[in-house]
Amino acid sequence: EQSSTHKIKMTPTLNDGTSNTTTTVPPSENDLREPLLTNEEFGTIVEENDNDCTNEKPLVEKKDVMSANPAAAASTDEDSQGLVVTFLLMVVVGSVNKIFFKLQTVPMYNYPNFLNLMNCFLFVPICFAYIIPVAKYGLPGATANGERIRPITEEHMNMSKKPFAIMGLLDGCSMILQTFASINLPGPLLILLPQAAIPISMALSRKIMGETYAVSQYIGATIVAMGIVTVLMPMFTDSGASDHQELRCVAYDMEDNCYICEDETNANACLSHMDELSGQVMCQWTSDVSGAAEDNDDAANSSLFWSGIMILSCIPMTLSSIYKELALGGENNGMMELDPVFLNGWVALFQFMFALVLAVPAGMASEPPVEPQDLPQNLWDGFKCYTGTGSIFTGCHPDDHCSTEAALFVNIYLGVNLIYNLLVVLILKYGSSNILYLASTIMVPVGNLAFTLPFMPDPSVLRITDILGLAVIMLGLSVYRFGQDIVNKLSNGAAVANGDSSAGDNDDATTVAYVEFLDDESSSSTTINNNTSFAE
């Protein structure tokens, strides 16, 4: 149906630079077949399509935004520099975070339950100091349409807490396993073994969520598993025996006199320790292989057991990440709109509650075992050690470092852990997940080698299997995290060289499912707790 008049809005090219002229043209019988206005009168109109190429000068020239706006260019440079600084801080702080997770266990060796409960509880008052006032009054100084912004609504406060409880249970199980394993394992293993989370997460995600992975990720996960087997090989064989042929001072009664003998470095000092009542020598100067073979076997079995516990901790950690992805990604529950601190606070609260329950079986599995009736006293002694007063003065692990190192190491770890989680959020907000993956990958050798430094408490000795295992795990991590990106770039480069104009689309052709555990961790809704200390 034709109207009496037609209003045609065009963008002509005129000498005075005016545009957006509205021209009223009377209808004609052929107005649907011929143009009403000629190109000579109003400029050139070019319709772009995939098959049309023209040399006509466009009506509006494209300009370089950065060159036209120096302020924007300067801002971009500042953001890039800030991201580089954040990346370097991430590597340093992340490595220190891993190191002090182990160092805090040195003075607190006899109190893993107290250490675990304290680390869990810390985040509860910190998070709720934000949750309660923000839920009641909104964010101070943040307004929208004249009203305060309320990221935590009454609906959020009244929602079901069951998902938080499930997250807290899984995180609590993972954290308590990691804490007890860290007491009994050397530092390098605490960094290398949690990388088992990669193949475990792939298997569970594929089973539960039907995730698909790139071939490079399967190859990388397999290489990581091979590296972990290489690290654990000395525990299955006698290959580590040659590293321990030197003589040392060993107590006959390891339970009561271990600490008396272990610090002696020569035979005369070792044999000088006599029991005042019986007059018998308390220590023997011998080699690990000949004189203390049984003790070595027990130590190897213990290390193997706790290594298995550390790897086992990756299962609830991975299940927690999968559940969070499912729960936070639901369309009907609205949890994706949750304030991150609100989420973290409730998960930390439930994690602490479950940690109290799990303290009973965990205490019985510790070395030495803590019976349920002795657990309250053990927790009280742990608190006293943290404040500088020891309670155990016999055995191989007396409370000799409570007054000098306990509060220092624990507080440094807690503070660094908070900064570490903040840097994770900053990198994801202003950078990309690939930058986080790169930083996490670099932390593995840095943290591993740091434990061999001579000034470390009880420094580790690198064996050939440790070096080979580290190299293999690093190769696997690199292939898993960056292999597909490299393949895409190579294929794009080859396509461009062959003149394929659609080569740039290959970057998005493959969907790669990365599972990152920080602090389990690595989205804005990731639970910020001590579960983030290990696997990246």
Side-chain angles (χ1 to χ4, degrees):
E1 181 178 359
Q2 296 183 352
S3 60
S4 60
T5 59
H6 298 267
K7 290 190 176 180
I8 301 171
K9 187 174 184 180
M10 307 194 66
T11 308
T13 303
L14 302 177
N15 293 333
D16 60 358
T18 60
S19 61
N20 295 328
T21 302
T22 301
T23 305
T24 303
V25 182
S28 65
E29 60 182 5
N30 64 347
D31 62 353
L32 299 179
R33 294 186 296 275
E34 294 183 6
L36 299 174
L37 305 173
T38 63
N39 290 341
E40 289 77 6
E41 292 177 314
F42 291 101
T44 302
I45 301 174
V46 179
E47 179 179 359
E48 295 183 28
N49 55 58
D50 293 338
N51 301 318
D52 183 27
C53 296
T54 180
N55 293 324
E56 298 280 1
K57 185 177 180 180
L59 299 176
V60 180
E61 296 184 4
K62 295 181 179 180
K63 296 182 179 181
D64 187 346
V65 177
M66 292 304 175
S67 61
N69 190 349
S75 177
T76 302
D77 292 339
E78 291 178 0
D79 290 343
S80 299
Q81 294 175 359
L83 190 58
V84 171
V85 173
T86 304
F87 171 80
L88 296 176
L89 284 175
M90 179 73 176
V91 173
V92 174
V93 174
S95 301
V96 173
N97 185 54
K98 295 173 182 293
I99 293 169
F100 273 91
F101 187 87
K102 172 59 183 177
L103 293 185
Q104 68 172 345
T105 67
V106 174
M108 302 291 292
Y109 181 93
N110 297 303
Y111 313 106
N113 261 321
F114 172 81
L115 199 58
N116 179 61
L117 289 171
M118 181 178 180
N119 289 339
C120 293
F121 177 76
L122 173 71
F123 293 89
V124 176
I126 291 178
C127 290
F128 276 89
Y130 165 89
I131 293 172
I132 295 175
V134 169
K136 187 173 183 180
Y137 303 109
L139 287 175
T143 59
N145 298 325
E147 297 182 0
R148 275 197 175 186
I149 297 177
R150 294 182 178 273
I152 303 175
T153 65
E154 184 178 353
E155 182 181 0
H156 290 149
M157 295 297 291
N158 295 331
M159 68 183 296
S160 172
K161 303 304 187 292
K162 180 180 177 180
F164 304 144
I166 295 176
M167 297 175 194
L169 174 61
L170 293 171
D171 287 345
C173 290
S174 177
M175 186 59 196
I176 199 168
L177 291 174
Q178 290 180 356
T179 301
F180 276 73
S182 67
I183 291 281
N184 298 279
L185 290 176
L189 287 183
L190 295 181
I191 295 179
L192 297 180
L193 294 181
Q195 306 309 318
I198 290 177
I200 291 175
S201 68
M202 291 180 67
L204 292 177
S205 296
R206 184 176 180 84
K207 179 70 174 178
I208 298 173
M209 303 178 63
E211 293 280 6
T212 58
Y213 295 87
V215 174
S216 61
Q217 289 180 286
Y218 285 110
I219 296 175
T222 302
I223 296 175
V224 169
M226 294 171 59
I228 292 174
V229 172
T230 303
V231 171
L232 296 178
M233 190 62 67
M235 301 181 191
F236 295 100
T237 66
D238 294 329
S239 60
S242 60
D243 295 331
H244 302 282
Q245 293 293 333
E246 70 275 5
L247 295 174
R248 67 169 187 163
C249 191
V250 180
Y252 285 105
D253 187 348
M254 295 292 289
E255 180 65 26
D256 293 330
N257 302 324
C258 175
Y259 76 101
I260 297 177
C261 306
E262 64 180 2
D263 292 334
E264 302 297 351
T265 57
N266 60 76
N268 291 334
C270 178
L271 299 176
S272 65
H273 294 284
M274 309 286 292
D275 186 271
E276 296 180 357
L277 298 179
S278 63
Q280 295 184 358
V281 178
M282 301 167 61
C283 310
Q284 57 177 326
W285 185 250
T286 181
S287 69
D288 283 343
V289 176
S290 59
E294 184 177 350
D295 292 333
N296 284 338
D297 291 340
D298 292 341
N301 292 334
S302 176
S303 296
L304 187 60
F305 171 77
W306 289 111
S307 296
I309 292 296
M310 176 58 73
I311 295 175
L312 183 65
S313 72
C314 296
I315 295 179
M317 181 170 64
T318 301
L319 290 175
S320 177
S321 295
I322 293 174
Y323 181 79
K324 287 169 187 172
E325 183 174 352
L326 293 173
L328 299 177
E331 297 181 357
N332 298 322
N333 52 32
M335 291 189 65
M336 281 298 290
E337 303 300 326
L338 287 181
D339 183 275
V341 181
F342 176 81
L343 171 65
N344 293 324
W346 280 104
V347 173
L349 177 61
F350 282 107
Q351 182 177 345
F352 174 73
M353 294 168 61
F354 284 115
L356 285 172
V357 177
L358 294 172
V360 175
M364 298 178 67
S366 63
E367 297 178 3
V370 178
E371 298 298 328
Q373 64 271 18
D374 299 328
L375 183 59
Q377 183 62 47
N378 180 263
L379 294 176
W380 174 246
D381 290 343
F383 176 77
K384 291 198 300 182
C385 181
Y386 172 71
T387 56
T389 304
S391 303
I392 299 176
F393 303 101
T394 61
C396 293
H397 301 283
D399 292 343
D400 290 343
H401 304 286
C402 290
S403 60
T404 56
E405 299 175 355
L408 177 65
F409 287 175
V410 172
N411 291 338
I412 288 178
Y413 167 72
L414 295 175
V416 169
N417 187 252
L418 288 172
I419 298 174
Y420 173 75
N421 282 281
L422 175 62
L423 291 174
V424 170
V425 175
L426 291 176
I427 283 185
L428 289 174
K429 183 174 182 179
Y430 298 107
S432 69
S433 58
N434 278 339
I435 297 178
L436 181 62
Y437 299 147
L438 179 60
S440 301
T441 303
I442 295 175
M443 290 177 210
V444 173
V446 172
N448 188 276
L449 297 176
F451 284 108
T452 66
L453 298 176
F455 57 81
M456 283 287 180
D458 193 18
S460 301
V461 178
L462 278 180
R463 296 176 292 191
I464 185 64
T465 52
D466 297 328
I467 299 174
L468 289 176
L470 174 61
V472 173
I473 289 175
M474 286 299 300
L475 175 62
L477 290 176
S478 300
V479 173
Y480 176 82
R481 287 172 175 162
F482 310 112
Q484 191 60 39
D485 289 342
I486 295 174
V487 170
N488 287 342
K489 291 183 184 299
L490 292 176
S491 62
N492 289 341
V496 171
N498 294 330
D500 186 356
S501 61
S502 63
D505 297 336
N506 291 340
D507 284 335
D508 299 325
T510 304
T511 299
V512 181
Y514 288 104
V515 179
E516 183 74 20
F517 300 97
L518 294 162
D519 235 286
D520 201 359
E521 330 110 83
S522 27
S523 66
S524 62
S525 59
T526 297
T527 303
I528 302 176
N529 56 34
N530 297 288
N531 213 24
T532 65
S533 307
F534 289 113
E536 269 64 44

